[in-house]
Amino acid sequence: MGAVITRLRRGRKKEQNPKNKKKKGKVVVVKRGSITPSSSRSVRGSIRPRRSNGAQRSQNRQRKLLTEASTNTDTDKTSHVYMVIDDNGQPANLGGTQANDTQRSKQRSTKRRKSNGTKCSQKGHTVERRPLNDIFPKRGEDATDGGKIGDNNIQRSGSKLRDSKRSAKGSLRRRKSSRKLKKHLFPSPAVFSQIDAHAIKAGEELRRKRIFSVKAIIEAITVGAVTDLQKLRAIWIWLCHNIEYDVNGYLGMTEMITSIEQVVETRRGVCSGYARLCEQMCSEVGIQCRKVSGHSKGASYRPGLHAEPTQSNHAWNAVRLQGNWYLLDSCWGAGTVDLTKRVFNKCYNEFYFLTDPDMFISDHFPDEVEWQLLKEPLSLEEFRMRVQKYSQFFQLGLTLHHPTHFLLITENGEATVSMTFPEPLEFSYQICQRSDSIQRELSTSAVLLTVTTTHMKLRLRPPTQGTFDVIVFARTANTSGKLQCVCNFLLECPKPSPLDSFPENPSKSWGLNQNATSMGLKPCQYQAEIMLESATFEMVLQTSRPLMMLCELFHKDLDEALAKRCVATQSEPDQLRCHVLCSYVGYYRLTVFVKDCDSTGNSYSPVGTFLLHCTSSAVININKLFPPGLSSNCGPGNGTFKAGLADFSHTRAIINTQQGQCSITFRNQHSLKLQADLSRQERQQPKYPLSRYVLLSCDEKDVTISVALPGAGVYRLSLFGGPATSALSHICDYVLWNDWDGAWPPFPQSYSTWNDGCVLFEPRTGHLEPMSKVHFCVKIPRAMKVNVIGQDHTELRINQKSQMWEGEVHTSTVPQLKLAASFPGGAPRELNILLCFDVLRTPNGMR
């Protein structure tokens, strides 16, 4: 005992000497029967040499030191951690649990890590110093060479130390892992193109020759593979392309195939078969590989449907490359299982090759926490509550912002899902209501999906109370193929929303489509949902090239015919306009279709769907909707530009007339033959045709369309044109609004010869008073003779200065006066009627 006290004093002096201060992060391992020099400070004054059992108390003190070390988690503040080992290199027997650990250690023969520290002798007692991470390895590394992480049979410091490592408060801090991310380990799968091609080709050759030896397979598929990573890649590719999932065995229809020999021979296996074979093949090429068991969110997983199994239901692998552990799942890399059809869909998935741990944990939870390879491990409960994210979620670069757990509960009948992404994506969804074992898919009226170039938002508004499954699908924008599932949720709706449901949307997504730019549209200012405080709305979309536009409007209370009368479109060279009238409060669906202006076909492609929410009570009366038969070419635009018409006085498609009158002027650059027609939805047959209320005049290339409306209402003014030798084609429409209650008399009736550069100055009305003189002033190019035919023929004379035909005409009592002219090349004395005026029966007798 005196010798022990002397050593303690010496150790205390050495500890007080700064030169002897031990380095941070070291572990001093002391053999049985010895005591560390620095421990004298902890036991100073407690050793009593007069008692015979002092040696026992000294040993108890050593136990206390180890217990304190195992519960102190802050390695940055603790200078040393002490562990007592016996002469055989085993932990000293510090209690009942440690004895059990020692016994298990003897049953399992494992290789111990060689010390890279120094040894110093003090009077026959050996003190060995080792770096901290040699005793407690970094997370993701073996405790011994070839030892499995978390193996219960390898516990150097006893169960208390193991438990303290796992506790949130008492876990030992690890050094930063040097594990590379997958993208840093290799930049792209393309670097393995030769390895992959050879492994696939060699696998086909081995299958034809019916070679089932693992060693022979390895020798064949790893030809050309130099590094461990290349050899592992060859093994991975062979597994994914040559082994199919044993669906019948999994469902219990046949005996499950799990042994390595059966898997290789039958080329089928369940997850454990994949994992065992991968482990064996890696062993053949000298790569450390472990089969990892745990929980997964696989084909049969449905969040919240039933309690999760307490036992493992999946197996995968961990491999060691460049001194670090990585994760892979060749079973899921080979394809997917469709349990409803009971088939295996062979579909290679690159994602599960050396997947980063923070992504792998989304659907793989190992039984042993160390195999998570995470700095902050998850609990099984947190794993179960997390949103199930499929491989496509990570491959597309998605980031989920809300919710963080799979369970969504509506507030005021609505819930949201939101996520972001770095590149344009296309999305879709599926929402089904759970009812016992039957699922009923809801219509699109329960969901509002909005997508921009970087954001996605899903507004869920179930129509009824209940539980719903929500699945989100996505793919890269402007690509073909099936949209892939990226994540799913469970939606609980205690009480449905009091608001109206959304309109049905066959395309599911709201807002501009992701391909809108390639279709010629520029980014717009409009969100997917547009709030309307007024019953009228004009949408303006900028274009990068001339486009033609069609729009469709839907409201639950509007039939198809009325819905068409609520929309007017105008296609201009650099922009598109859509005018919308809302005749009801609530939600509208506005779908926009476009095509190139020079396209010869009639096929329009959808470029966006917008939700219009009209909150104004001052809605449009259905009697004041746009006139029926309105074309997609309203107002000046691509149609008029193509026809050579320019410099319009009214550039908007909708004109609010001043007391029922307006004049539209423009330039006829190609000298087309033109015609203007007026129409509206008539409630009763008018006395005069509406064509009498519009008069077209041409002064060389300057054109004037004069309109004088017979009453209040909404009118359509259609313009036709074409070469003089061919039929006229439609050019554009105008919409004329008239709130004036008065009525204008009609213009004189015009005939086909009138439009050849003719202009009527006087009289402008088509109704003439009887028994009165009327002054006529008219411009008729190329005319040789101009007469007004009534009771008599009155010849008009040309004003040489103004080149106008003028004269006074007496109306007498005839019912009509006709303006006629003769032209060069016609028959002698032939007069062509240009205009016809009505003479009223009584003064001011306009009816």
Side-chain angles (χ1 to χ4, degrees):
M1 180 57 70
V4 173
I5 295 175
T6 302
R7 293 190 203 103
L8 286 175
R9 290 174 179 172
R10 291 176 180 174
R12 184 172 57 210
K13 291 180 181 179
K14 287 186 179 182
E15 187 178 79
Q16 292 173 353
N17 189 348
K19 296 181 180 180
N20 298 325
K21 187 175 180 180
K22 296 179 179 62
K23 293 184 179 180
K24 198 176 195 178
K26 295 292 184 178
V27 173
V28 181
V29 182
V30 185
K31 288 191 175 182
R32 181 192 297 273
S34 66
I35 189 167
T36 63
S38 60
S39 64
S40 60
R41 179 173 55 183
S42 301
V43 299
R44 182 176 52 194
S46 62
I47 305 295
R48 299 180 181 180
R50 287 178 295 179
R51 295 191 179 181
S52 59
N53 59 350
Q56 181 64 35
R57 278 199 296 270
S58 177
Q59 188 176 9
N60 292 338
R61 288 294 179 183
Q62 296 176 40
R63 297 185 192 137
K64 183 177 180 180
L65 288 173
L66 178 59
T67 305
E68 291 174 353
S70 64
T71 57
N72 189 339
T73 63
D74 195 345
T75 57
D76 294 335
K77 296 180 181 180
T78 304
S79 298
H80 302 86
V81 177
Y82 295 97
M83 176 178 292
V84 180
I85 60 175
D86 59 18
D87 293 334
N88 295 321
Q90 301 294 334
N93 193 356
L94 303 181
T97 57
Q98 187 73 20
N100 295 334
D101 294 339
T102 303
Q103 183 178 1
R104 287 194 297 269
S105 178
K106 291 179 179 180
Q107 294 174 357
R108 181 185 175 108
S109 176
T110 60
K111 297 179 181 180
R112 299 302 182 187
R113 187 180 301 276
K114 294 181 179 181
S115 172
N116 60 353
T118 58
K119 295 183 179 180
C120 58
S121 178
Q122 296 183 7
K123 293 188 179 181
H125 299 279
T126 302
V127 178
E128 181 181 351
R129 295 180 179 174
R130 299 182 187 173
L132 180 62
N133 287 289
D134 282 358
I135 304 300
F136 304 111
K138 295 183 293 184
R139 188 176 306 281
E141 293 188 356
D142 283 37
T144 60
D145 292 339
K148 183 175 179 181
I149 295 179
D151 195 328
N152 293 331
N153 294 328
I154 305 175
Q155 302 178 30
R156 287 181 175 266
S157 56
S159 60
K160 290 184 180 180
L161 180 57
R162 181 196 63 199
D163 294 339
S164 64
K165 286 165 57 181
R166 294 187 179 182
S167 66
K169 189 175 180 181
S171 62
L172 286 170
R173 294 184 179 179
R174 303 298 201 269
R175 292 182 304 180
K176 248 185 178 179
S177 174
S178 60
R179 183 191 307 107
K180 297 180 181 178
L181 294 176
K182 180 176 180 177
K183 63 181 180 181
H184 297 147
L185 197 62
F186 58 92
S188 167
V191 301
F192 300 116
S193 57
Q194 294 183 354
I195 299 291
D196 295 352
H198 174 76
I200 293 173
K201 183 178 180 180
E204 294 173 351
E205 183 68 20
L206 292 168
R207 188 163 55 250
R208 284 195 299 269
K209 294 180 179 180
R210 299 184 59 80
I211 296 177
F212 306 124
S213 167
V214 173
K215 186 175 182 179
I217 293 172
I218 285 294
E219 291 177 351
I221 66 176
T222 57
V223 173
V226 179
T227 65
D228 285 351
L229 178 58
Q230 292 174 339
K231 296 175 183 178
L232 176 65
R233 180 69 180 193
I235 293 171
W236 158 267
I237 289 295
W238 185 89
L239 285 169
C240 293
H241 288 80
N242 289 272
I243 308 298
E244 295 188 359
Y245 193 81
D246 183 14
V247 180
N248 291 335
Y250 173 78
L251 296 175
M253 301 171 63
T254 60
E255 185 177 354
M256 187 179 296
I257 300 173
T258 57
S259 69
I260 295 176
E261 294 77 10
Q262 288 179 311
V263 171
V264 175
E265 185 173 352
T266 62
R267 301 297 172 110
R268 296 198 315 274
V270 292
C271 58
S272 59
Y274 279 89
R276 289 194 182 101
L277 181 55
C278 180
E279 189 177 25
Q280 178 64 28
M281 297 179 82
C282 287
S283 176
E284 291 289 339
V285 294
I287 299 175
Q288 283 185 265
C289 179
R290 298 291 179 269
K291 172 178 170 289
V292 182
S293 299
H295 301 267
S296 70
K297 296 178 180 179
S300 61
Y301 174 79
R302 290 178 62 192
L305 182 64
H306 51 73
E308 295 290 340
T310 56
Q311 295 182 350
S312 303
N313 59 4
H314 190 49
W316 56 94
N317 292 100
V319 294
R320 194 168 187 177
L321 298 172
Q322 301 176 9
N324 293 285
W325 288 96
Y326 294 87
L327 302 168
L328 72 161
D329 189 340
S330 55
C331 177
W332 286 19
T336 60
V337 175
D338 189 339
L339 292 178
T340 57
K341 298 180 181 180
R342 298 181 178 181
V343 295
F344 172 70
N345 298 319
K346 195 172 182 179
C347 180
Y348 174 72
N349 194 338
E350 172 70 26
F351 175 77
Y352 291 103
F353 177 66
L354 305 182
T355 315
D356 294 332
D358 58 338
M359 299 179 183
F360 204 75
I361 195 62
S362 177
D363 43 25
H364 291 69
F365 185 88
D367 290 334
E368 299 174 13
V369 67
E370 287 82 359
W371 285 121
Q372 293 184 28
L373 304 184
L374 296 173
K375 294 180 181 179
E376 298 181 3
L378 300 183
S379 65
L380 180 57
E381 182 61 28
E382 187 175 358
F383 169 76
R384 291 172 175 172
M385 289 299 296
R386 278 196 167 191
V387 176
Q388 183 182 13
K389 301 173 184 176
Y390 296 88
S391 59
Q392 193 73 3
F393 181 95
F394 301 102
Q395 291 170 337
L396 294 175
L398 290 167
T399 300
L400 181 64
H401 295 281
H402 184 270
T404 56
H405 290 164
F406 75 85
L407 180 61
L408 277 167
I409 301 178
T410 60
E411 295 182 8
N412 297 323
E414 187 170 306
T416 60
V417 175
S418 63
M419 58 184 72
T420 57
F421 37 90
E423 297 180 353
L425 301 178
E426 296 175 10
F427 287 86
S428 185
Y429 60 84
Q430 184 183 60
I431 177 170
C432 299
Q433 184 173 14
R434 290 183 180 179
S435 178
D436 298 331
S437 59
I438 302 175
Q439 282 195 327
R440 180 176 64 87
E441 185 172 355
L442 300 186
S443 68
T444 57
S445 63
V447 183
L448 181 66
L449 171 62
T450 59
V451 182
T452 67
T453 54
T454 57
H455 291 74
M456 185 280 279
K457 186 175 182 180
L458 203 64
R459 289 175 58 188
L460 306 168
R461 191 180 292 175
T464 60
Q465 175 184 353
T467 303
F468 305 85
D469 284 306
V470 181
I471 305 176
V472 181
F473 304 87
R475 72 180 175 196
T476 304
N478 304 323
T479 59
S480 59
K482 186 179 179 181
L483 281 85
Q484 300 295 321
C485 180
V486 293
C487 57
N488 59 14
F489 307 90
L490 183 66
L491 176 64
E492 291 284 351
C493 181
K495 185 178 180 180
S497 172
L499 302 177
D500 292 339
S501 59
F502 302 116
E504 295 284 350
N505 183 8
S507 66
K508 292 188 175 182
S509 180
W510 297 83
L512 276 184
N513 297 348
Q514 295 296 329
N515 64 343
T517 302
S518 62
M519 295 295 294
L521 288 181
K522 294 181 180 180
C524 72
Q525 59 179 333
Y526 302 103
Q527 301 295 326
E529 182 178 5
I530 304 173
M531 301 297 297
L532 305 181
E533 297 180 357
S534 172
T536 61
F537 171 65
E538 181 186 59
M539 172 180 281
V540 181
L541 300 173
Q542 304 297 324
T543 63
S544 58
R545 60 179 185 265
L547 300 175
M548 301 298 293
M549 177 173 64
L550 283 177
C551 290
E552 290 183 356
L553 191 69
F554 171 83
H555 187 279
K556 62 180 182 179
D557 296 327
L558 276 177
D559 59 28
E560 185 176 354
L562 287 178
K564 289 181 178 180
R565 295 184 56 193
C566 291
V567 179
T569 59
Q570 182 177 2
S571 302
E572 302 175 68
D574 58 351
Q575 65 183 6
L576 304 173
R577 295 180 185 270
C578 178
H579 305 267
V580 179
L581 304 178
C582 299
S583 54
Y584 297 99
V585 175
Y587 290 111
Y588 292 80
R589 183 190 73 232
L590 177 65
T591 306
V592 180
F593 303 84
V594 300
K595 73 172 184 177
D596 285 319
C597 187
D598 56 357
S599 175
T600 57
N602 295 321
S603 177
Y604 285 79
S605 301
V607 291
T609 305
F610 298 89
L611 179 69
L612 309 182
H613 190 186
C614 180
T615 59
S616 173
S617 58
V619 295
I620 303 298
N621 190 296
I622 59 174
N623 295 321
K624 295 185 177 182
L625 300 179
F626 294 126
L630 202 62
S631 76
S632 60
N633 296 329
C634 289
N638 295 324
T640 58
F641 180 80
K642 185 177 182 181
L645 307 182
D647 301 333
F648 278 82
S649 60
H650 295 71
T651 59
R652 306 293 293 274
I654 301 175
I655 300 175
N656 291 307
T657 63
Q658 296 295 322
Q659 295 185 341
Q661 287 186 320
C662 71
S663 293
I664 303 172
T665 63
F666 54 90
R667 295 274 294 174
N668 183 6
Q669 300 178 117
H670 296 168
S671 300
L672 299 179
K673 183 179 181 180
L674 300 173
Q675 179 181 328
D677 290 338
L678 190 68
S679 62
R680 73 168 180 174
Q681 182 75 13
E682 296 290 351
R683 294 182 295 275
Q684 59 183 7
Q685 187 68 24
K687 181 179 180 180
Y688 299 99
L690 289 176
S691 59
R692 292 285 303 274
Y693 294 91
V694 58
L695 180 64
L696 189 146
S697 303
C698 299
D699 186 3
E700 295 182 352
K701 292 188 176 184
D702 294 328
V703 181
T704 301
I705 302 176
S706 301
V707 180
L709 300 175
V714 185
Y715 297 81
R716 181 186 69 182
L717 177 64
S718 299
L719 181 62
F720 298 85
T725 57
S726 63
L728 304 183
S729 58
H730 180 269
I731 297 178
C732 72
D733 287 338
Y734 273 99
V735 177
L736 307 180
W737 290 85
N738 181 27
D739 293 330
W740 185 56
D741 292 333
W744 292 100
F747 292 107
Q749 184 177 356
S750 61
Y751 293 87
S752 60
T753 54
W754 168 253
N755 290 334
D756 295 337
C758 302
V759 180
L760 176 65
F761 294 97
E762 291 183 86
R764 294 288 294 174
T765 178
H767 284 173
L768 302 178
E769 295 290 337
M771 302 301 292
S772 63
K773 289 185 177 181
V774 179
H775 182 262
F776 275 78
C777 180
V778 61
K779 183 178 181 180
I780 305 174
R782 299 186 305 107
M784 299 177 60
K785 184 179 181 180
V786 177
N787 286 358
V788 176
I789 304 173
Q791 188 173 358
D792 300 314
H793 282 223
T794 303
E795 184 175 345
L796 303 182
R797 296 185 180 278
I798 189 169
N799 187 322
Q800 295 298 331
K801 185 177 182 179
S802 63
Q803 293 296 306
M804 295 183 185
W805 297 87
E806 297 182 78
E808 295 286 335
V809 179
H810 194 275
T811 60
S812 185
T813 58
V814 295
Q816 290 181 333
L817 292 180
K818 297 179 180 179
L819 179 67
S822 62
F823 298 94
R829 297 183 180 180
E830 180 184 13
L831 294 174
N832 296 297
I833 299 176
L834 305 179
L835 297 175
C836 183
F837 298 83
D838 294 320
V839 178
L840 299 176
R841 293 181 182 180
T842 59
N844 301 321
M846 184 177 64
R847 295 186 293 246

